[in-house]
Amino acid sequence: MKPLLGISLKVLSAFVFTLMSAGLKTLTSLYPVGEIVFFRSVFALIPLLIWLSWQGDLINAIRTDNIPGHFLRGLIGTSGMYLGFAALAYLPLHDTIAIGYASPLIVVILAALLLKEKVRAYRWTAVGIGFVGVLIMLSPYLRLNPLSGGGQSLGAFFALVGAFCSAGATIQVRRLTMTERTGAIVFYFFILASGLSLLTLPLGWKPPPLSDLLFFVLVGTLGGIGQILLTQSYRYADTSILAPFEYTTMIWALLLGWFVFGDLPTAAVMIGAAIVAGTGLFIVWRERRLGLERAKELETAAQRPGG
């Protein structure tokens, strides 16, 4: 374990993913979302396959006996990607990312319902407070009918539903990790996302000129590199150590939104994001503390005579 290296890779992956999102935001005004999903997924395969080949075990890395599980993960994840990219077309970069912070809170609920994980009162309380933060972030865009509030209300709706899809994909990934290698999970997701996005071809794709095609290559490659960096970070540090650094995406989003798009977040978004991030950090701290207590109890039990 090398915690500092793991943290560095996690922060770098957050920066790369935010840079990718900024690139995607410039493309959403020019191309249909389905086309963007396709190119982002296809070109993300390039660094992934290079990385798996470099590890010297490409065939075994993508071997699987659970195609239905990968398909379900691909369907949910692609839906989340589609909604997230659609949200970028209507919202500032930092608002889209901030609303996406609802996903870890939703994961706690889905883990309790679907995976039967034991969720204690502290986590339920944190989740409840976190959703107050989500409502504060959404308050400038809240409408009974998202279509009646203009583009930004629709974008906020897309971002929130995308967060639910992202949480569902996370739950499915947890199931897959019990039997599948990381390389296979990522590989089949990009393959399925590419295939599913082709279904939107009749909706009017636009042939990109060479300059835009190269930009698609750049954005997709950044997505693949970000995935590799994220995967590698978990080799060197525990999840509980790395999870708080996910919120560095807001720093990068604020800087890129300001310097590239000239956007500044509203007070509601900043306050709500701070509440959500704070509850997320509390959940991580609480789980790490409980993990240490359980480990200490097991160690004490093992040292007892006859234990």
Side-chain angles (χ1 to χ4, degrees):
M1 300 296 286
K2 300 177 181 178
L4 289 179
L5 178 58
I7 290 169
S8 299
L9 291 171
K10 175 69 173 180
V11 172
L12 187 56
S13 74
F15 173 70
V16 171
F17 279 130
T18 310
L19 200 61
M20 179 201 72
S21 296
L24 290 169
K25 182 169 177 58
T26 64
L27 292 169
T28 53
S29 61
L30 302 173
Y31 296 95
V33 175
E35 186 174 358
I36 295 173
V37 171
F38 173 78
F39 284 118
R40 181 259 189 264
S41 302
V42 166
F43 292 125
L45 285 168
I46 297 173
L48 175 66
L49 292 175
I50 292 173
W51 176 57
L52 293 176
S53 299
W54 176 70
Q55 289 188 318
D57 197 18
L58 176 60
I59 299 301
N60 286 326
I62 62 175
R63 194 186 304 277
T64 182
D65 294 319
N66 190 7
I67 292 297
H70 286 290
F71 181 81
L72 180 59
R73 185 266 193 268
L75 183 62
I76 300 172
T78 303
S79 300
M81 190 189 301
Y82 195 100
L83 289 163
F85 293 174
L88 284 170
Y90 297 105
L91 293 178
L93 177 65
H94 41 67
D95 285 21
T96 306
I97 289 176
I99 295 171
Y101 286 164
S103 182
L105 303 176
I106 300 166
V107 168
V108 174
I109 298 172
L110 294 181
L113 295 175
L114 302 178
L115 301 182
K116 307 302 179 184
E117 290 186 5
K118 186 176 181 180
V119 179
R120 295 174 175 82
Y122 283 103
R123 289 178 72 186
W124 284 124
T125 303
V127 168
I129 295 172
F131 274 111
V132 172
V134 172
L135 289 174
I136 292 173
M137 284 191 290
L138 292 173
S139 60
Y141 311 117
L142 283 178
R143 300 288 189 282
L144 290 177
N145 180 3
L147 296 175
S148 68
Q152 288 197 330
S153 293
L154 187 60
F157 175 75
F158 285 153
L160 185 60
V161 179
F164 273 91
C165 290
S166 177
T170 299
I171 295 297
Q172 183 60 15
V173 167
R174 286 189 185 179
R175 288 173 168 168
L176 288 172
T177 53
M178 297 176 185
T179 58
E180 303 293 298
R181 295 190 179 192
T182 301
I185 295 172
V186 178
F187 174 78
Y188 288 109
F189 170 64
F190 286 141
I191 290 292
L192 287 164
S194 302
L196 291 171
S197 60
L198 284 174
L199 298 176
T200 66
L201 188 60
L203 299 180
W205 285 22
K206 294 166 53 179
L210 180 60
S211 58
D212 285 357
L213 183 61
L214 292 175
F215 195 56
F216 272 121
V217 173
L218 174 62
V219 168
T221 302
L222 284 173
I225 292 172
Q227 190 66 57
I228 293 169
L229 291 170
L230 180 64
T231 301
Q232 287 295 91
S233 71
Y234 289 104
R235 290 183 179 273
Y236 298 108
D238 291 335
T239 303
S240 58
I241 293 175
L242 296 177
F245 294 94
E246 177 66 27
Y247 297 109
T248 58
T249 52
M250 180 52 73
I251 299 173
W252 309 128
L254 288 172
L255 293 174
L256 289 170
W258 185 16
F259 288 109
V260 178
F261 303 105
D263 292 327
L264 288 174
T266 63
V269 170
M270 290 301 296
I271 293 171
I275 292 173
V276 174
T279 55
L281 293 173
F282 173 80
I283 290 172
V284 171
W285 172 81
R286 179 66 182 172
E287 288 306 298
R288 179 169 175 77
R289 182 176 176 182
L290 289 174
L292 292 173
E293 290 176 357
R294 285 192 291 267
K296 188 174 181 179
E297 289 173 2
L298 290 173
E299 183 180 351
T300 303
Q303 290 175 351
R304 291 173 185 161

